[in-house]
């Protein structure tokens, strides 16, 4: 059951690099997804209408957070969406520092990222 939950969370993450998306390799995206998915506790009983949440992240060359992660864009005022957004930010903070990224791509490819968290289909 836990493994299934981790796979669902992994499938629900998307990654983009605002600076140069062409530098973000599939291996880099997969590595980040795996790291963050392990740390993401999706709030229980999420309603179907909770939309995706984008979290902006800046990382140092050592993979440490360079500042606090921030929600990218508006978040609906309902409690479920706010709880979902808070869980996304907590996942990024819990997983810091990100490991092994320098072996996969240059720092410019993962220095500034936007990670999209989507409600897993359960």
């Amino acid at each position: 059951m836990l493994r299934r939950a981790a796979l669902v969370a992994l499938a629900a993450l998307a990654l983009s690099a605002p600076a140069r998306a062409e530098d973000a390799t599939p291996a880099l995206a997969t590595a980040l997804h795996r790291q963050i998915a392990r740390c993401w506790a999706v709030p229980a009983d999420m309603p179907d209408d909770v939309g995706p949440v984008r979290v902006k992240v800046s990382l140092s060359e050592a993979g440490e957070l360079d500042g606090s992660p921030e929600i990218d864009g508006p978040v609906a005022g309902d409690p479920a969406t706010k709880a979902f957004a808070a869980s996304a930010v907590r996942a990024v903070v819990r997983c810091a520092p990100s490991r092994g990224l320098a072996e996969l791509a240059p720092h410019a490819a993962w220095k500034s990222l936007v990670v999209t968290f989507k409600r897993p289909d359960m």
Side-chain angles (χ1 to χ4, degrees), residues 88-100:
V89 171
R90 278 192 306 273
V92 172
V93 171
R94 280 185 193 136
C95 278
S98 296
R99 303 276 186 218

Side-chain angles (χ1 to χ4, degrees), residues 58-64 66 101-102 105-113:
S58 295
L59 299 173
S60 71
E61 288 188 46
E64 298 170 345
D66 187 10
L101 304 181
H107 182 237
W110 47 269
K111 178 181 180 178
S112 179
L113 302 170

Side-chain angles (χ1 to χ4, degrees), residues 9-28:
L10 175 63
L13 294 172
L15 170 76
S16 64
R20 292 182 47 175
E22 65 272 12
D23 289 339
T25 66
L28 173 63

